[in-house]
Amino acid sequence: LGEDGAFGCWTFSYSGHPTVSRDLLQSVIELGFLERELGLSQREGFSVVDIGAGYGRLAHRMAHAYPNLRDYCCLDAIPESTFLSEYYVRHRGCTPPARVVSLDAIGTGLGPFDLAVNVHSWSECTYEAVEWWVELLAGLDVPRLLVVPNEPEELLSLEADGSRRDFLPLLERAGYRL
C-alpha cells in the first residue's frame, strides 16, 4: 500500500522510507489486525460492509490489499460522506469490489457479508442510532464485527446532551462477543 497525498491528506517523508500518512498507518493497523484474527488473505473470497464508511479510506486500502475481496459495501448515514465515499472509491479505481449504498437504498442489494467494520463512527452516534445499525447487521446475519471506538477500553455512544452511553449490551444482545 502506498500514499500519494491526494485529497488533502497530510503526508510525511522520512529518508529511506516511502511516504506515509496517518490515514495509511491507520489502515495498515486495521488490516493487519483483521489479517491476524481472520486470515483474510487465505480465504477464497470475502465480503465486507463498512458502517460509517466516511470518505471510503478503508474500502480503498482493503480493495488494493486483497485481490480476493468480492464486495466492500460502504454505508453512511451522512449524505455528504456518502457522496464523498462514492467519488473517492471511484477515483481510486476500486469499484468493484467497493461500492457505496445510500441510506435510502439500504434495504436493497445488501449482503451476504462475512465481516462488518465500524471505525470511530458509533462513538459519534446516539445509542438509538447504534441500535438501528446493530439491528441491521443482525438482520443480515453478519458473523464478524470489528468496532474501533474513540475510547481506549469502552464502547460509548454520544448522546444529544453530550452524555455517553455504553453500547456493548447492544452488541451482546445481537450475538457479538469480544
Side-chain angles (χ1 to χ4, degrees):
L1 300 175
E3 180 58 76
D4 60 9
F7 295 88
C9 181
W10 290 4
T11 62
F12 302 89
S13 298
Y14 301 96
S15 180
H17 298 282
T19 301
V20 297
S21 68
R22 181 177 159 234
D23 284 3
L24 175 61
L25 295 176
Q26 188 171 351
S27 295
V28 168
I29 290 167
E30 292 156 1
L31 295 177
F33 174 81
L34 290 170
E35 181 61 32
R36 283 189 309 278
E37 294 299 315
L38 303 177
L40 298 177
S41 66
Q42 303 305 311
R43 295 175 180 228
E44 187 174 316
F46 66 96
S47 58
V48 178
V49 59
D50 190 338
I51 306 291
Y55 66 90
R57 169 191 60 84
L58 193 55
H60 162 229
R61 304 292 189 197
M62 190 173 280
H64 287 285
Y66 290 98
N68 57 335
L69 177 63
R70 286 191 311 261
D71 181 25
Y72 194 107
C73 182
C74 299
L75 303 176
D76 205 296
I78 308 297
E80 294 85 355
S81 293
T82 300
F83 170 81
L84 287 173
S85 182
E86 187 169 29
Y87 182 85
Y88 185 81
V89 295
R90 197 173 331 116
H91 174 82
R92 290 298 188 182
C94 52
T95 56
R99 64 187 171 112
V100 178
V101 176
S102 63
L103 192 61
D104 63 333
I106 273 187
T108 60
L110 288 184
F113 298 107
D114 301 299
L115 168 66
V117 296
N118 179 274
V119 179
H120 300 294
S121 174
W122 285 343
S123 296
E124 301 166 359
C125 292
T126 64
Y127 185 89
E128 183 179 29
V130 174
E131 184 174 37
W132 185 87
W133 285 113
V134 171
E135 287 174 0
L136 175 72
L137 294 177
L140 291 170
D141 279 333
V142 181
R144 302 264 189 250
L145 171 63
L146 169 67
V147 178
V148 180
N150 287 349
E151 300 300 321
E153 295 185 25
E154 295 177 288
L155 299 173
L156 302 175
S157 66
L158 179 59
E159 301 308 305
D161 65 1
S163 65
R164 310 295 296 213
R165 188 169 172 191
D166 182 7
F167 63 83
L168 180 59
L170 293 175
L171 301 177
E172 291 173 335
R173 187 171 71 216
Y176 295 108
R177 301 283 177 265
L178 292 175

